[in-house]
Amino acid sequence: MAVSRTLQDVASLTLAKCVASLAILATGFRAVSDDDYARTFIAQSFATTPRFDPSGTSWLPLPFWLTGGVMRLMGRELWVARLIAFALGIVAVLLVYAAARTAGSSKAAAWVAGVITCLLPYFGWLGVATVPEGYAAALMLLAAASTTRSQWWLRCVGGLAISAACLCRYEAWPLAAGFAALCAWDARRSPRLAVAAAIALIGPALWLTHGQVSHGDPLFFFKRVAAYRRAVGAAPEALYKRLIGFPWGVIRGEFELVLGVAALAAWTPRGVLKSVARQYGRVIGLLGLVLVALVVGDVRDGAPTHHPERAVLVVWLGMAVLAGTLTVNLIENSDRRRRLRIIATVIATTFIGALGLRPWLAKRDGFIDRSDEIALGSVAAASCPPGVIAVDTHDFAFYSIIVGVADPTRGRTIDDRDPRRQRAADPFRHSSALRRRLQDMGARCVIAERAHAAVAATTGEVTRRTHRYTLVRVE
């Protein structure tokens, strides 16, 4: 019977996540930023030529191993990466359910936590975009939840989860340190738990070793992120903004959830609330450690350069688990009238927040639409002769065009737009300079933006024009 109930929960949460993801896609959302397409391009490159560090930058490798590995089997088209993202979004919800059960939540509470997770806007966006934040946060939560249990095998599962998360996102690293410290502390009574601590540190140790061997600096990634933030002017100047940025982001990013948890806590008897706090004490402490580390990183210019809310997703997932437990506890221990008042209060709080306050309070960086660029890349791949397709854009849109080509050996950008590097001379200053550049690249076609269309047209035959781009077959 217990197994049957678990399977029912898994099936219903899978269905709920599928519906939520399809609803997100129906709004037209496809990507958070150009990073989504940069990551897909790197995965395509890994599918073509596998290597330990697919990006060669500060980005951690596991998402590229995963997506690129599947692309080696299914093809390098964008739809493959999006299908993988869709599937991993479902996996992430089930990991949240598993984390709640591991932390001691009842099946009903864990199921409610999973449903709440499916309704979180940020989890919805990150659960269909080709980025690792969604499943990385769920792995982090599972690891944190495992510290509430003394079973050796569960701690080892938690160690594997956080080690994998550490090869996806840097905000997992402080949680890995906290996880290892708790396991080492508990190993005084159960020495085998030291194995879980060691497993948790495999991911960070592997990347630090790579940094020392390949870059001569184990912390090369931190310096690169800091340099990029400064180059694009993303680091805020005022210290107080750095100190409150991420805590305030937790509140305003998903404030319906925050208000809901606050309302549930206010309704819960003090004795029960203390019991819940003891039950989830370690989880709350580890998630707090992540938040503190993000603040420190922001002060030292090591935090994300855009959409910073992505990094606090694990905090929201933890709050969803807490909300599930408080909700079920109140429902099971209240009479019918009080139960209706609680449900009505939570629903009213959620709707007032979503409809009245979210448009004003939950400000975020805008998402990106590159559907035209992807379509043009596909057209270029089909119509251009075999060889390099050179791409010219004034921003990072070139990644989406190259992803549309679906062959990283063909699509190449004329300028990678890296603000940390000194810019080369503009090849579009005159046609002879562009011809030389295209010849050096071995380009058979060039895609140029409108501002450069006239110069690009002198290199060959114009085969397609859009409102923004011109495709030229190079003579």
Side-chain angles (χ1 to χ4, degrees):
M1 180 66 71
V3 174
S4 176
R5 171 62 190 276
T6 300
L7 290 177
Q8 290 176 9
D9 289 347
V10 168
S12 59
L13 289 176
T14 298
L15 178 60
K17 178 54 181 169
C18 286
V19 171
S21 294
L22 291 173
I24 290 287
L25 293 173
T27 66
F29 173 84
R30 293 296 182 273
V32 175
S33 70
D34 282 319
D35 283 359
D36 300 42
Y37 299 109
R39 286 183 175 277
T40 303
F41 165 71
I42 296 168
Q44 290 174 333
S45 301
F46 180 84
T48 304
T49 308
R51 55 178 179 164
F52 175 79
D53 181 7
S55 74
T57 66
S58 59
W59 276 345
L60 292 157
L62 184 56
F64 308 120
W65 298 345
L66 182 60
T67 303
V70 175
M71 281 183 162
R72 284 181 67 87
L73 301 175
M74 298 181 63
R76 295 173 302 207
E77 288 76 16
L78 178 59
W79 70 265
V80 177
R82 286 176 169 167
L83 180 63
I84 295 168
F86 192 98
L88 288 174
I90 297 172
V91 171
V93 170
L94 299 182
L95 287 174
V96 171
Y97 176 84
R101 293 289 293 137
T102 300
S105 299
S106 65
K107 284 186 172 65
W111 182 84
V112 171
V115 172
I116 293 173
T117 298
C118 290
L119 297 176
L120 297 178
Y122 266 98
F123 186 80
W125 294 319
L126 296 173
V128 295
T130 55
V131 292
E133 284 88 337
Y135 58 88
L139 287 169
M140 292 167 64
L141 184 65
L142 179 61
S146 71
T147 62
T148 65
R149 305 289 288 273
S150 60
Q151 290 95 325
W152 175 74
W153 70 272
L154 269 178
R155 290 289 186 95
C156 287
V157 169
L160 287 171
I162 192 58
S163 194
C166 285
L167 290 174
C168 295
R169 294 286 300 175
Y170 287 109
E171 61 264 22
W173 287 40
L175 198 151
F179 176 94
L182 288 174
C183 288
W185 176 263
D186 295 337
R188 296 175 304 132
R189 291 185 296 271
S190 180
R192 290 196 301 174
L193 293 180
V195 176
I199 292 173
L201 299 178
I202 290 176
L206 197 62
W207 194 241
L208 291 171
T209 302
H210 162 70
Q212 180 61 45
V213 172
S214 301
H215 302 279
D217 182 359
L219 297 177
F220 76 100
F221 50 87
F222 183 84
K223 295 178 180 178
R224 290 190 178 189
V225 171
Y228 189 86
R229 276 170 60 91
R230 297 188 187 108
V232 300
E237 295 181 358
L239 178 61
Y240 81 92
K241 289 184 179 180
R242 304 187 189 205
L243 293 175
I244 69 171
F246 280 103
W248 175 237
V250 170
I251 297 172
R252 70 175 177 80
E254 296 286 2
F255 64 91
E256 298 96 339
L257 174 64
V258 176
L259 291 177
V261 171
L264 289 168
W267 280 96
T268 302
R270 181 172 300 180
V272 176
L273 200 59
K274 288 182 178 180
S275 176
V276 172
R278 285 193 299 269
Q279 177 184 351
Y280 296 104
R282 286 191 167 189
V283 177
I284 295 171
L286 288 173
L287 299 189
L289 179 62
V290 172
L291 195 57
V292 170
L294 286 170
V295 172
V296 173
D298 204 10
V299 170
R300 301 185 62 187
D301 291 335
T305 55
H306 60 85
H307 298 92
E309 297 85 0
R310 297 170 297 154
V312 298
L313 180 60
V314 66
V315 178
W316 291 325
L317 297 187
M319 294 180 71
V321 171
L322 186 61
T325 296
L326 293 176
T327 299
V328 171
N329 181 275
L330 283 170
I331 290 175
E332 291 179 347
N333 295 281
S334 302
D335 57 32
R336 184 174 180 273
R337 179 176 296 179
R338 187 166 183 264
R339 191 180 306 161
L340 290 175
R341 286 202 304 268
I342 293 170
I343 294 173
T345 300
V346 173
I347 292 175
T349 301
T350 301
F351 272 90
I352 290 173
L355 300 179
L357 298 179
R358 174 168 284 274
W360 169 72
L361 185 62
K363 297 179 181 179
R364 56 169 174 78
D365 296 334
F367 296 142
I368 204 149
D369 179 12
R370 296 297 190 193
S371 54
D372 291 343
E373 285 82 356
I374 295 165
L376 182 59
S378 299
V379 169
S383 62
C384 288
V388 171
I389 301 171
V391 181
D392 157 59
T393 61
H394 76 278
D395 54 15
F396 293 102
F398 64 83
Y399 279 119
S400 50
I401 295 175
I402 296 173
V403 164
V405 174
D407 185 349
T409 64
R410 295 190 69 192
R412 288 181 58 189
T413 181
I414 293 176
D415 185 346
D416 65 7
R417 303 292 171 182
D418 191 332
R420 294 166 295 185
R421 299 175 184 170
Q422 185 176 0
R423 299 291 298 279
D426 183 9
F428 288 92
R429 63 189 184 275
H430 51 74
S431 59
S432 59
L434 180 58
R435 285 179 180 275
R436 285 195 299 270
R437 183 61 181 276
L438 295 177
Q439 186 176 7
D440 292 341
M441 296 176 67
R444 304 298 303 277
C445 282
V446 59
I447 296 173
E449 286 196 319
R450 179 185 298 176
H452 296 156
V455 177
T458 65
T459 65
E461 177 191 356
V462 176
T463 61
R464 190 176 182 88
R465 292 185 188 273
T466 69
H467 69 284
R468 185 176 176 185
Y469 301 100
T470 298
L471 172 62
V472 179
R473 181 177 298 179
V474 177
E475 292 179 353

